[in-house]
Amino acid sequence: MKNKILKILPYTLIIMIICLLLIPKTSQNDLYFDLKSGDYLLKYGLDFKDHFSFIEGLKYVNNHYLYNLIILFIFSIKSFSSLFIFYLSLYILLGFLIFYVVNKYIDNKIISLLISLLTLLNMRIFYTTRVQSLSYIIFYLEFYFLNRLYDTGKVKYSIYLILLSVLLVNLHMSVWIIYPVLFLPFFMEQILSDLKKTKLNEIISKKIIYNSSKNKKLFVFTFLLSLSVGILSPYKLLPYTFFIKTIGNKCYEIIVEMQKTVLVNNTSYLVILLFSVIIVTLLNIKIRVRDVCYIFGLSILAFLANRHTSYFLLIVPTIIGIIISNYIVINKLNCIKLKKYQLVIMNIALIIIFSLLINNMNLKSFDYNEKKEYPVNTVKYIKNNLDYKNIRLFNEFNYGSFLEFNNIKVFIDSRAEVYIKEFNGGKDIMNDYIKVEDYQSYKFIFDIYNIDYALVFKNTPIYYYLIKDNDFAIIMEENEKYVLFKKY
């Protein structure tokens, strides 16, 4: 037992060190309203009402209420320091999972480590202080359990998959519909397997492997039950329609992550996609139907929006790594063996490196509230000098959540679904926010919402409009980035 721990420890420590080096050290907009949402949940429960905007009567579907409560509890321990440790732990856990899954299939720790590190590197920009940090782990576990259920037919994997579906719909409802979709590649493989000896199978069998499920009824039952939990959630039918309402909605076009993927701006995605195509089409490698479907399906999903490339980058490297490993028989690398004293020295060295990195980060004073990123001083000014509880403040999308975190009512924030009519009860606030960039419309919009203050980015269209507007004057500037206007 001690020898096994000694042998696996270097890979564990390397993953921990790489995660510590890669994980973003700054917050993401959603963190602040997530924390405040957790606070309101404790006060009001899941009431489906918005409590952050000064615009009355807005509906709010808190699509990750359970996550809000989790991070509020963690935040209560040691503020932002405990949150950083939490997100770092999730990042490390993802690395461990990938290493374990790949190694289980190819029994090669070196290659398993390389694939896990590649995935962690590609996922770095997505692994921020958001609910996705948990949902990515759930999706990767689903991918693994689906393969195990299909190949072994064991009931325990069915139970795991159903429980994960229940957890996801309450943790991150907006992406839950992707969960049952990941079952579909296995149904395609089962269909081809059931066709048996047909002309179609004779053609594709030279390149494609298709196996029948060990327990067809259990697999179908698991799918149907995983699909049905959406109805059992507090959101009724919304888990089934949320994705459709957001994809292609013009109001979401201002959100970078919801815009269509531009290949030249997504190098990792493009390289892995091209590599996958080469493997599937040009190399003399037999590949499972489910794997072809995953590569093709996830690449299509990634084209729909920037943020969906994360699912491709999360799962496809594992698939490709396993295929290539088996093809070139690189398991011979396992012949590289270190003596016990060499392993001990390596582990001690890695532990020292990890300890030094942790120490240099000074977690006791770790704080996401960077003055360069958010209008920290302006917020203090508003709270100390203005009637902030009744202020009608026009603000921009990016920092609305930071204002909310400080109990200041906002015009808009990064919860896009609160401000589009498909979700909030019919008020097209997001569209009005977009219109503010038009000189002919901004005054009309300001009048509709009775705006008396405006906190905007410097050197933006609305900034120049207000500079020329005799009704508004600058009362504060911060970091040559934020400007606070008052209406006189």
Side-chain angles (χ1 to χ4, degrees):
M1 183 66 179
K2 289 182 179 180
N3 286 334
K4 286 184 178 180
I5 294 175
L6 197 62
K7 290 178 180 179
I8 199 70
L9 189 57
Y11 303 100
T12 302
L13 289 168
I14 290 172
I15 289 173
M16 292 171 68
I17 290 170
I18 295 299
C19 285
L20 193 56
L21 291 172
L22 290 179
I23 192 168
K25 310 301 188 298
T26 56
S27 67
Q28 207 277 343
N29 297 336
D30 293 7
L31 174 64
Y32 299 104
F33 72 65
D34 280 330
L35 286 170
K36 206 63 185 177
S37 293
D39 189 39
Y40 275 98
L41 278 166
L42 294 178
K43 292 179 182 177
Y44 304 105
L46 194 62
D47 59 2
F48 297 101
K49 296 178 181 178
D50 174 64
H51 298 278
F52 299 142
S53 177
F54 62 75
I55 302 168
E56 297 179 355
L58 295 179
K59 295 180 181 179
Y60 173 39
V61 178
N62 190 341
N63 67 77
H64 34 72
Y65 75 92
L66 182 58
Y67 166 76
N68 294 158
L69 294 173
I70 291 172
I71 65 165
L72 180 64
F73 169 74
I74 294 168
F75 181 77
S76 69
I77 299 172
K78 272 204 171 183
S79 188
F80 292 96
S81 298
S82 53
L83 280 177
F84 175 74
I85 294 171
F86 172 66
Y87 291 113
L88 174 62
S89 300
L90 293 178
Y91 198 37
I92 291 172
L93 177 57
L94 179 65
F96 287 167
L97 282 173
I98 297 167
F99 176 80
Y100 170 81
V101 169
V102 177
N103 191 61
K104 190 172 183 66
Y105 279 99
I106 68 175
D107 191 25
N108 185 293
K109 294 181 178 61
I110 295 175
I111 302 304
S112 300
L113 177 66
L114 292 175
I115 293 171
S116 62
L117 294 183
L118 173 65
T119 306
L120 289 172
L121 178 62
N122 290 334
M123 292 293 293
R124 178 182 180 275
I125 60 172
F126 301 102
Y127 231 86
T128 57
T129 54
R130 302 177 69 183
V131 64
Q132 283 88 336
S133 299
L134 274 167
S135 59
Y136 289 142
I137 291 173
I138 292 174
F139 279 121
Y140 196 83
L141 282 171
E142 180 195 6
F143 168 72
Y144 173 61
F145 291 147
L146 279 171
N147 276 280
R148 298 302 294 161
L149 175 62
Y150 191 88
D151 293 334
T152 67
K154 292 182 178 180
V155 175
K156 66 177 182 179
Y157 295 116
S158 174
I159 295 173
Y160 297 157
L161 286 164
I162 294 168
L163 290 177
L164 282 178
S165 184
V166 174
L167 177 61
L168 185 63
V169 77
N170 290 283
L171 195 70
H172 196 179
M173 180 272 288
S174 60
V175 301
W176 170 81
I177 195 62
I178 297 175
Y179 192 92
V181 170
L182 293 183
F183 279 76
L184 300 184
F186 295 88
F187 284 113
M188 180 60 71
E189 185 163 331
Q190 184 62 59
I191 290 170
L192 287 175
S193 177
D194 290 340
L195 289 175
K196 296 179 181 178
K197 292 184 178 181
T198 64
K199 288 185 178 180
L200 176 62
N201 278 22
E202 288 177 7
I203 295 171
I204 65 174
S205 62
K206 296 178 181 179
K207 191 70 178 177
I208 302 295
I209 300 171
Y210 44 89
N211 300 313
S212 179
S213 173
K214 292 294 183 181
N215 192 333
K216 297 179 186 178
K217 291 182 180 179
L218 180 62
F219 194 87
V220 173
F221 170 78
T222 305
F223 169 72
L224 293 175
L225 203 53
S226 296
L227 183 63
S228 68
V229 301
I231 300 175
L232 302 177
S233 74
Y235 310 108
K236 298 180 180 179
L237 294 176
L238 192 57
Y240 302 95
T241 60
F242 192 95
F243 188 82
I244 297 172
K245 288 181 178 180
T246 57
I247 290 296
N249 191 306
K250 290 184 178 181
C251 289
Y252 277 83
E253 290 178 359
I254 67 168
I255 308 174
V256 175
E257 65 177 27
M258 292 300 292
Q259 294 170 1
K260 289 188 177 181
T261 302
V262 180
L263 290 179
V264 292
N265 296 331
N266 291 270
T267 307
S268 297
Y269 168 58
L270 180 60
V271 170
I272 294 175
L273 179 60
L274 292 175
F275 194 60
S276 303
V277 171
I278 291 172
I279 288 172
V280 173
T281 59
L282 300 181
L283 296 185
N284 186 26
I285 302 176
K286 280 202 170 187
I287 184 171
R288 298 178 303 184
V289 172
R290 71 190 84 162
D291 293 335
V292 174
C293 291
Y294 266 120
I295 294 170
F296 179 75
L298 290 175
S299 64
I300 295 298
L301 184 66
F303 273 118
L304 295 176
N306 281 317
R307 74 175 183 179
H308 296 145
T309 59
S310 58
Y311 303 113
F312 180 89
L313 296 173
L314 175 66
I315 293 175
V316 173
T318 295
I319 294 172
I320 298 302
I322 293 172
I323 294 170
I324 291 295
S325 298
N326 292 330
Y327 174 67
I328 61 179
V329 198
I330 50 182
N331 289 325
K332 291 180 180 179
L333 288 175
N334 279 331
C335 295
I336 300 174
K337 294 183 179 180
L338 296 174
K339 294 181 180 179
K340 188 174 182 179
Y341 79 90
Q342 292 173 320
L343 282 170
V344 171
I345 293 173
M346 180 184 291
N347 287 328
I348 291 174
L350 290 169
I351 289 172
I352 292 172
I353 293 171
F354 183 76
S355 300
L356 289 172
L357 288 171
I358 287 287
N359 185 61
N360 288 335
M361 295 206 72
N362 193 16
L363 291 179
K364 291 182 180 179
S365 63
F366 196 92
D367 196 332
Y368 281 121
N369 291 331
E370 295 181 278
K371 292 184 178 180
K372 292 182 180 179
E373 296 295 326
Y374 297 99
V376 177
N377 292 327
T378 304
V379 164
K380 289 179 181 177
Y381 175 86
I382 291 173
K383 295 189 74 173
N384 292 332
N385 299 281
L386 306 177
D387 183 12
Y388 71 92
K389 291 184 179 179
N390 298 304
I391 193 172
R392 297 185 74 85
L393 173 72
F394 174 84
N395 63 280
E396 301 199 52
F397 186 86
N398 297 66
Y399 51 84
S401 60
F402 184 74
L403 299 175
E404 293 164 351
F405 182 71
N406 288 278
N407 299 313
I408 298 173
K409 297 277 187 175
V410 299
F411 176 76
I412 200 168
D413 59 57
S414 51
R415 300 169 302 155
E417 62 273 13
V418 179
Y419 303 100
I420 62 175
K421 59 185 179 181
E422 287 84 354
F423 294 106
N424 68 14
K427 297 184 179 181
D428 208 353
I429 299 163
M430 180 68 79
N431 193 43
D432 288 341
Y433 172 72
I434 295 171
K435 287 180 180 178
V436 166
E437 292 191 357
D438 181 9
Y439 183 73
Q440 303 298 324
S441 302
Y442 92 91
K443 275 195 172 185
F444 177 69
I445 301 299
F446 272 38
D447 288 341
I448 289 177
Y449 295 100
N450 297 316
I451 301 296
D452 49 18
Y453 290 89
L455 176 58
V456 300
F457 286 121
K458 201 169 185 179
N459 300 322
T460 57
I462 185 61
Y463 166 77
Y464 289 113
Y465 300 158
L466 293 174
I467 285 286
K468 297 177 182 179
D469 194 327
N470 294 328
D471 293 334
F472 282 87
I474 295 174
I475 58 174
M476 185 174 179
E477 295 186 53
E478 181 177 356
N479 292 337
E480 296 185 353
K481 185 175 183 179
Y482 297 101
V483 183
L484 179 63
F485 288 85
K486 179 181 179 180
K487 185 177 182 180
Y488 288 95

